[in-house]
């Protein structure tokens, strides 16, 4: 019997798109289930998606305990290569400035211009807001704050000097350095925020549990396939870990702390 086509949507960084395309093609081949991957322009696309690559913050905002029954559930997330990731599905936000900048620490950034990719980005926005709350800095720490759409845009703006600092997903930054080696000579990391639980692949709860389990199983063994492992290494991915909704309670706790402090925006 022909399997129905699944709709997958990515809301994550464009520089990881080839990896996500390969993942969906791999799952499709293994399960004999056609999968169409598209880029989500707004989170409204979640309503029709069967599978989604999504940041942890919008996932936390749209799932239990905020919404019951939950429309989606985390099934897998990458474990990145490198000691800093501790063989866990986590990542960091690296705060970057120009290499020739006088800034040396996060404390030096008071009053500076700051770029972030999206208000629902944990790496670019949520973790920054939480870090300021922890420090008691909720009265307009930065000077100018601007939303720029993508981490790559923020990176380029810092390089050009049109903005002074930004928090960048550590995986996105590593891939950017690999793709554009001169960037590493132009930028410097002055602080690292996190860790946060890394972005999951989520499945709509409309999908049959058996299909969700099958997709998860394929991803968990993906690194044992030498061809697939080589592609994953291109995205600094060692393997995938099984995930569940409660794994994102760290992000929910950060969000709750910001809401309790009435610090809902960086401005």
């Amino acid at each position: 019997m022909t399997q129905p086509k699944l709709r997958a949507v990515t809301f994550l960084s464009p520089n990881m798109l080839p990896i996500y395309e390969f993942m969906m093609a791999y799952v499709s081949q293994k399960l004999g289930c056609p999968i169409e991957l598209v880029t989500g322009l707004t989170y409204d696309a979640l309503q029709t998606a069967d599978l989604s690559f999504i940041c942890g913050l919008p996932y936390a905002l749209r799932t239990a305990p905020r919404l019951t029954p939950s429309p989606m559930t985390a099934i897998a997330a990458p474990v990145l290569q490198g000691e800093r990731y501790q063989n866990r599905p986590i990542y960091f936000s690296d705060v970057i400035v120009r290499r020739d900048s006088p800034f040396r620490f996060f404390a030096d950034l008071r009053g500076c211009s700051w770029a972030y990719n999206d208000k629902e980005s944990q790496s670019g926005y949520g973790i920054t807001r939480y870090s300021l709350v922890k420090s008691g800095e909720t009265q307009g720490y930065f000077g100018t704050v601007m939303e720029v759409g993508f981490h790559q845009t923020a990176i380029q703006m810092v390089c050009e000097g049109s903005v002074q600092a930004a928090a960048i997903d550590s995986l996105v930054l590593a891939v950017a350095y690999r793709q554009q080696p001169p960037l590493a000579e132009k930028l410097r990391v002055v602080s690292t925020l996190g860790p946060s639980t890394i972005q999951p692949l989520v499945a709509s709860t409309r999908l049959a549990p058996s299909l969700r389990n099958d997709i998860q199983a394929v991803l968990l063994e993906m690194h044992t396939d030498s061809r697939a492992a080589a592609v994953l290494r291109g995205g600094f991915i060692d393997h995938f870990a099984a995930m569940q909704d409660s794994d994102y309670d760290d992000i929910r706790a950060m969000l709750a702390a910001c809401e309790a402090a009435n610090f809902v925006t960086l401005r």
Side-chain angles (χ1 to χ4, degrees):
M1 187 172 96
T2 303
Q3 293 278 5
K5 178 184 286 188
L6 298 182
R7 178 180 173 82
V9 181
T10 175
F11 299 93
L12 301 182
S13 175
N15 71 1
M16 285 293 289
L17 181 59
I19 306 296
Y20 303 144
E21 289 175 333
F22 180 85
M23 288 173 58
M24 293 297 91
Y26 186 86
V27 171
S28 177
Q29 180 185 34
K30 289 290 185 179
L31 298 183
C33 180
I35 302 175
E36 174 192 29
L37 176 65
V38 300
T39 298
L41 301 179
T42 72
Y43 288 114
D44 289 343
L46 286 167
Q47 297 176 16
T48 58
D50 298 302
L51 299 167
S52 302
F53 294 93
I54 187 170
C55 180
L57 180 54
Y59 174 75
L61 286 167
R62 290 166 174 80
T63 50
R66 289 176 174 260
L67 189 60
T68 303
S70 178
M72 68 190 90
T73 184
I75 59 173
V79 175
L80 302 181
Q81 298 173 334
E83 290 185 8
R84 75 188 298 198
Y85 300 108
Q86 308 164 43
N87 198 37
R88 297 167 53 203
I90 59 172
Y91 74 116
F92 297 86
S93 294
D94 290 329
V95 179
I96 60 169
V97 299
R98 279 175 59 104
R99 186 165 292 277
D100 59 4
S101 165
F103 305 129
R104 291 292 180 268
F105 306 99
F106 191 89
D108 298 331
L109 302 180
R110 183 185 299 276
C112 82
S113 55
W114 179 270
Y116 66 90
N117 52 334
D118 184 278
K119 286 184 179 178
E120 290 200 30
S121 166
Q122 172 67 7
S123 56
Y125 197 86
I127 191 68
T128 305
R129 191 174 51 167
Y130 175 67
S131 297
L132 291 172
V133 165
K134 284 200 305 180
S135 301
E137 299 285 357
T138 60
Q139 301 298 318
Y141 186 79
F142 301 115
T144 303
V145 178
M146 62 190 80
E147 181 174 348
V148 299
F150 294 104
H151 277 307
Q152 288 91 334
T153 304
I155 292 170
Q156 191 59 39
M157 291 177 70
V158 174
C159 280
E160 295 170 351
S162 55
V163 71
Q164 292 173 294
I168 307 297
D169 178 323
S170 57
L171 173 57
V172 173
L173 187 60
V175 173
Y177 281 172
R178 173 179 283 175
Q179 293 176 342
Q180 303 175 65
L183 285 177
E185 300 173 5
K186 298 177 180 179
L187 298 173
R188 182 162 42 83
V189 174
V190 296
S191 182
T192 294
L193 311 179
S196 303
T197 303
I198 200 166
Q199 302 94 339
L201 174 66
V202 306
S204 168
T205 51
R206 295 188 308 269
L207 293 185
S210 58
L211 180 54
R212 298 201 302 262
N213 291 339
D214 288 345
I215 294 170
Q216 182 186 67
V218 170
L219 293 174
L220 297 190
E221 60 79 33
M222 192 174 178
H223 66 287
T224 65
D225 180 312
S226 59
R227 183 176 69 95
V231 174
L232 295 179
R233 285 195 297 271
F236 296 96
I237 298 172
D238 185 78
H239 65 278
F240 285 91
M243 305 298 283
Q244 57 188 359
D245 184 78
S246 60
D247 290 319
Y248 292 86
D249 284 348
D250 63 321
I251 294 176
R252 294 188 178 102
M254 295 182 206
L255 179 61
C258 293
E259 292 176 341
N262 197 30
F263 189 46
V264 293
T265 70
L266 285 178
R267 294 185 183 279

